Structure formats: C-alpha cells, structure tokens
Amino acid sequence: MKKIRNIFFWKILNTTSQRCLILIILFTLQSCTKEKVTSYEVNPVTVKQDGSAKQHVKTTLEFISIAYSDLYGTAITSDVLQKLNIAYSSFGDKKLIEDMIIRNFLNSPSIKIPTKAQMKNDVPKFVTDTYKKLYNRTPNEFENYFITKMINNDITITPELVYYSMMTSNEYRYY
C-alpha cells in the first residue's frame, strides 16, 4: 500500500511540475514579445518665452527714468530723479515702492498714453504699440489674443490699467 501511495504521489508531483514548467515557459515566451512602438511624426518644437532673453536688471535710476520717459515722453529732471531715488533707497520693500512710483506717474494728468477711446478704436494696434513701447518687443500670438480679448470683453479696463499691469511686471524690470 505504501508503495502504491508513493507512486501515486510522484505521478501527481511529476504532472504538476510539468504543468508549472510549461506555464513558466509560456509566460516567459509571452513576456519576451517585442513591444510595438507607435510614432506620430511630430516635429520637435523649442518652447521659449519672448521676454526670457532679458537678463540684465535695470538699476534703480534706470527703472525710474525709463518709466518716467515711457509715460511722459520726456526725460526726467535730475531733481525729481534724485527725490524718487532717495524714496526708493530708503524703503525696504522694493516692489511696493516701484508700485507706488508707477501709480504716482499714472495719476498725473500730463502723461502721454492713448485715451480709452483711442484704445477701443483699434485694440490690436494698442496692444502691439504698448508692448513695443514698454517691453521693446512685439507681443506673441497668445499675448496679443489674450489682452485684446480682455480689453474687448471688459469695459472697465483703461489704458492706465494696462500700462500699470505691464510696468509692474517682472519683464519690465529687465532689459
């Protein structure tokens, strides 16, 4: 009886081990198939922001005098430049004082920027001219589309607001 049981056990084990071996071989062969590579024939594109080439930060005097000449159309007097430079240097938060200087310039009635009617008459020209004046470059397609759409869809946007937002941006601080 013991002999019959041992033969029966070896037969089962032999059959199970053969089955396991066959399954392992099948899984190995299945996993070794080469993966299909799909190619979409897309041209490589280098993404670069237009204003990213600007690497030199404007000094305090450059920032103040350029902002003044951009808004007033004339050079700033040395007396006004000196007073603004003292205020700029004596204040700790530089971004806040830049904001205050730009706001002060924009609140003056003698600035030379387009009126709201001129802006609304030809919005794409206003956007392009403003980019050229403040950033020394033309706007890319997205910038032109976005700002034109924003001006056309919102009646509360004024040229002063557009100038303020562009002059207080990081790109305006660089040349």
Side-chain angles (χ1 to χ4, degrees):
M1 178 83 166
K2 197 173 184 182
K3 192 174 185 184
I4 295 174
R5 195 172 51 175
N6 282 343
I7 292 173
F8 179 72
F9 178 75
W10 280 111
K11 240 182 186 182
I12 292 174
L13 185 63
N14 194 16
T15 310
T16 306
S17 61
Q18 285 177 351
R19 287 181 186 159
C20 286
L21 183 62
I22 290 172
L23 284 175
I24 290 172
I25 291 172
L26 286 175
F27 284 133
T28 305
L29 291 175
Q30 180 68 22
S31 65
C32 290
T33 59
K34 206 168 195 179
E35 186 177 326
K36 184 179 177 184
V37 178
T38 306
S39 177
Y40 291 102
E41 308 264 340
V42 178
N43 295 331
V45 176
T46 303
V47 178
K48 184 177 111 177
Q49 192 175 11
D50 288 336
S52 64
K54 298 178 180 182
Q55 297 175 352
H56 304 288
V57 177
K58 295 174 186 170
T59 64
T60 304
L61 295 176
E62 288 173 336
F63 174 77
I64 294 169
S65 60
I66 291 171
Y68 187 91
S69 64
D70 282 343
L71 293 174
Y72 290 94
T74 61
I76 190 170
T77 62
S78 61
D79 185 42
V80 174
L81 181 61
Q82 184 180 12
K83 286 179 184 176
L84 288 172
N85 189 29
I86 290 171
Y88 189 91
S89 335
S90 63
F91 204 75
D93 189 356
K94 302 304 181 197
K95 278 303 217 186
L96 179 63
I97 199 69
E98 287 173 11
D99 181 78
M100 300 283 287
I101 289 170
I102 298 299
R103 282 181 190 222
N104 186 35
F105 286 166
L106 288 170
N107 287 330
S108 172
S110 58
I111 59 173
K112 294 185 170 123
I113 63 173
T115 64
K116 188 170 184 174
Q118 291 171 331
M119 176 183 75
K120 289 289 188 178
N121 284 342
D122 193 1
V123 177
K125 183 182 181 325
F126 169 77
V127 171
T128 302
D129 291 347
T130 306
Y131 263 83
K132 285 180 181 178
K133 184 176 189 174
L134 299 179
Y135 293 157
N136 296 320
R137 66 176 180 87
T138 57
N140 63 32
E141 291 82 17
F142 177 74
E143 292 166 333
N144 200 3
Y145 165 77
F146 181 76
I147 295 175
T148 301
K149 181 181 175 194
M150 189 171 50
I151 291 171
N152 286 331
N153 291 343
D154 190 353
I155 60 170
T156 62
I157 293 181
T158 62
E160 290 84 6
L161 186 60
V162 174
Y163 270 71
Y164 171 77
S165 63
M166 291 178 76
M167 292 178 82
T168 54
S169 70
N170 285 338
E171 185 175 350
Y172 188 74
R173 197 65 171 99
Y174 288 82
Y175 67 96

